[in-house]
Amino acid sequence: MIEEGFMEDLVSDTDIVLVETGSLMNTESRPKAQFPLWVVNCIIGGGIPLTLQTEFSGRPQSGKTTSAYQTLAKYLQENPDGIGLIIDTESSVDMKRLVAMGIDVKRVVRLPSISIENAFGNMFKMFKKLQKARESNPNLSIMVVFDSVSSGGTNKQHDAAESGNSVLNAGSMMELPRILKQNTANVFPFIENLPILIVYINQVSTTGIGSYVTKVESGGGFGFSHNMQFSLVWGTPKDCYEDGFIIGTECDVAMKKSKISPKFIEIPCFINARNGGEIDEAASFMKYLQKSNVGLIKTGSWYNMNETMDNLIEKYKRRIDEERVQAYKGNIRRLDLEKKIRNDEELQYLLQIALIDFIDDKFPPQREINDDYQLELMSKSSIFKDIEGDIKDEETEQKESN
């Protein structure tokens, strides 16, 4: 039997720390940035922790940058001491669009188009300054949107362009992959000491001349996921029409890699052109719940949530307002249900709670990650009551029955 205090003595005079005090994933010491798809938040425990390097990859116009900016907006709203950095290698930042998406631009800085090496160098300098500033304000954190790694040139390429020469033969083909791998590997020491979320936006396909099409998973011809802890891939976008007009774009998102959850696929992402080109969270959520392998919403000529509401009443009967939940039962037209989900915050909470139960039943270990977020949703809902008290009573009863 290991004696008390032995582990502390063992790591003394080293840089090694105890796991229970030095873990970064899913801890209260690290805030989370909510993602603009409720399904993803229900899978990963409420948002992406500020301790990850993430990759958003996919085809052009599929929703990668929109998702990153909406995540940035939510992060800044939830973290008053949060700062945003946009590494704008594509020179595409539009301040009016950022404001329209709810981003507090006074807390966001932009790095104009620059070489990949200098982009990482500037980012590292900013991290060092934030580490120093946290001595007086320990709540400081940062989210970085790197838009994009697939369009930034190298120092050699920039030098060739500045000299009036073609960049085609400036540096080897594998120079950029090496630069990305080495620099992303050196982000981790900063993550140890500073709440950081970095979203690297990456394009994954290139159409050549004629019938020649190159297909790569990420990085414009090279692998990029080695240093990524969370990777979302957007599928082929499809335009949605109404009365001859394009009203939005729809595609599926897949979790290709995740160190905070199981991998999921076919998560609908609908970008609504009628609300400024933002992700329509309610419509995307409903599309997922009505999938045949999920089935929290029954489809047909009429839609209903009867079984889902009955399950919630049965599971949470000690802490739920049964009469109010019963009121959500009954047949309803698809568009009317979508409108109800969009406008009824209580229904949003109920369906997310039900989805978390569904996910946890499929992947029981994820319950440890999702419990806190589910309790947070319950505490926001007026349909649930005395959450903490009922949980303690249930735990006492469970111990007594054992």
Side-chain angles (χ1 to χ4, degrees):
M1 179 70 70
I2 293 177
E3 296 180 0
E4 185 176 350
F6 173 78
M7 297 299 292
E8 288 79 3
D9 290 340
L10 186 64
V11 301
S12 63
D13 299 324
T14 74
D15 293 325
I16 302 169
V17 298
L18 300 177
V19 168
E20 60 185 3
T21 57
S23 175
L24 299 179
M25 298 282 189
N26 292 299
T27 64
E28 294 181 0
S29 63
R30 293 297 173 105
K32 295 183 177 182
Q34 284 211 339
F35 190 73
L37 288 174
W38 298 337
V39 174
V40 172
N41 293 324
C42 289
I43 294 169
I44 63 176
I48 307 173
L50 266 70
T51 180
L52 298 181
Q53 295 194 84
T54 69
E55 180 190 18
F56 290 4
S57 63
R59 293 178 178 270
Q61 302 179 359
S62 56
K64 305 181 299 296
T65 302
T66 299
S67 299
Y69 284 159
Q70 284 188 240
T71 303
L72 177 61
K74 290 174 181 289
Y75 157 73
L76 292 172
Q77 291 163 10
E78 295 161 4
N79 297 277
D81 292 301
I83 293 167
L85 166 62
I86 300 174
I87 299 178
D88 191 20
T89 61
E90 293 187 356
S91 299
S92 59
V93 167
D94 180 350
M95 191 184 78
K96 290 184 178 180
R97 184 190 178 204
L98 298 183
V99 172
M101 297 178 85
I103 294 175
D104 181 0
V105 294
K106 292 182 180 179
R107 288 192 284 142
V108 177
V109 292
R110 168 183 175 260
L111 178 64
S113 185
I114 198 170
S115 73
I116 289 290
E117 295 98 318
N118 287 331
F120 276 101
N122 277 271
M123 185 174 73
F124 292 153
K125 287 179 182 176
M126 193 165 181
F127 290 167
K128 292 289 288 184
K129 289 185 176 181
L130 280 172
Q131 284 179 331
K132 182 67 175 176
R134 274 172 58 86
E135 294 175 5
S136 56
N137 183 358
N139 295 319
L140 283 170
S141 61
I142 184 168
M143 176 177 169
V144 181
V145 177
F146 205 127
D147 188 17
S148 68
V149 294
S150 48
S151 63
T154 66
N155 279 339
K156 290 179 181 178
Q157 291 170 337
H158 280 237
D159 290 344
E162 285 289 331
S163 302
N165 298 314
S166 170
V167 303
L168 180 61
N169 296 314
S172 68
M173 289 183 64
M174 292 306 296
E175 186 172 33
L176 181 56
R178 288 198 302 270
I179 291 168
L180 288 172
K181 184 174 182 178
Q182 291 166 5
N183 279 283
T184 54
N186 282 281
V187 169
F188 296 120
F190 288 103
I191 289 177
E192 288 286 342
N193 300 298
L194 179 66
I196 299 171
L197 171 61
I198 307 178
V199 175
Y200 300 96
I201 298 174
N202 203 358
Q203 210 157 286
V204 301
S205 64
T206 304
T207 302
I209 298 172
S211 61
Y212 173 71
V213 180
T214 58
K215 294 182 179 179
V216 294
E217 287 196 354
S218 70
F222 54 87
F224 185 57
S225 62
H226 32 255
N227 287 331
M228 301 298 107
Q229 297 148 308
F230 188 66
S231 179
L232 296 177
V233 180
W234 276 253
T236 303
K238 179 181 70 175
D239 289 334
C240 302
Y241 293 84
E242 185 177 284
D243 299 327
F245 293 93
I246 298 176
I247 60 167
T249 304
E250 183 179 354
C251 72
D252 282 341
V253 177
M255 288 185 186
K256 186 178 74 171
K257 180 178 181 180
S258 176
K259 292 197 173 183
I260 53 177
S261 73
K263 293 190 291 186
F264 276 68
I265 60 173
E266 297 181 349
I267 302 170
C269 177
F270 176 62
I271 298 175
N272 194 337
R274 293 172 294 192
N275 69 348
E278 294 186 23
I279 292 174
D280 190 326
E281 299 184 57
S284 301
F285 186 56
M286 180 173 162
K287 288 176 186 292
Y288 187 79
L289 297 188
Q290 68 190 47
K291 283 178 172 286
S292 60
N293 62 334
V294 180
L296 296 183
I297 293 175
K298 302 301 182 185
T299 63
S301 300
W302 294 86
Y303 283 44
N304 75 74
M305 305 171 288
N306 297 348
E307 185 177 340
T308 297
M309 296 302 146
D310 285 339
N311 289 339
L312 286 169
I313 291 170
E314 176 62 26
K315 182 166 185 176
Y316 301 108
K317 54 189 173 185
R318 295 187 54 167
R319 47 182 135 143
I320 203 169
D321 188 329
E322 182 176 341
E323 184 177 345
R324 292 177 64 186
V325 178
Q326 289 281 6
Y328 287 114
K329 294 172 62 176
N331 293 331
I332 186 171
R333 295 290 188 187
R334 180 184 66 82
L335 291 178
D336 292 335
L337 178 56
E338 183 179 313
K339 183 178 180 181
K340 182 180 284 289
I341 292 174
R342 189 187 316 282
N343 298 324
D344 189 334
E345 199 171 53
E346 293 292 344
L347 181 57
Q348 294 171 16
Y349 294 146
L350 283 176
L351 290 174
Q352 288 180 82
I353 290 165
L355 179 58
I356 291 172
D357 284 336
F358 173 84
I359 292 167
D360 291 350
D361 286 343
K362 293 287 184 183
F363 304 95
Q366 196 64 13
R367 187 171 287 110
E368 186 73 22
I369 305 297
N370 288 337
D371 270 355
D372 287 343
Y373 184 52
Q374 191 175 51
L375 285 174
E376 180 185 327
L377 292 170
M378 290 178 181
S379 66
K380 289 179 178 179
S381 171
S382 62
I383 291 177
F384 285 82
K385 46 199 175 183
D386 193 20
I387 304 302
E388 295 297 334
D390 280 337
I391 290 174
K392 289 177 182 178
D393 289 343
E394 289 171 6
E395 289 175 348
T396 301
E397 288 180 5
Q398 184 67 32
K399 289 179 181 179
E400 291 175 351
S401 65
N402 291 336

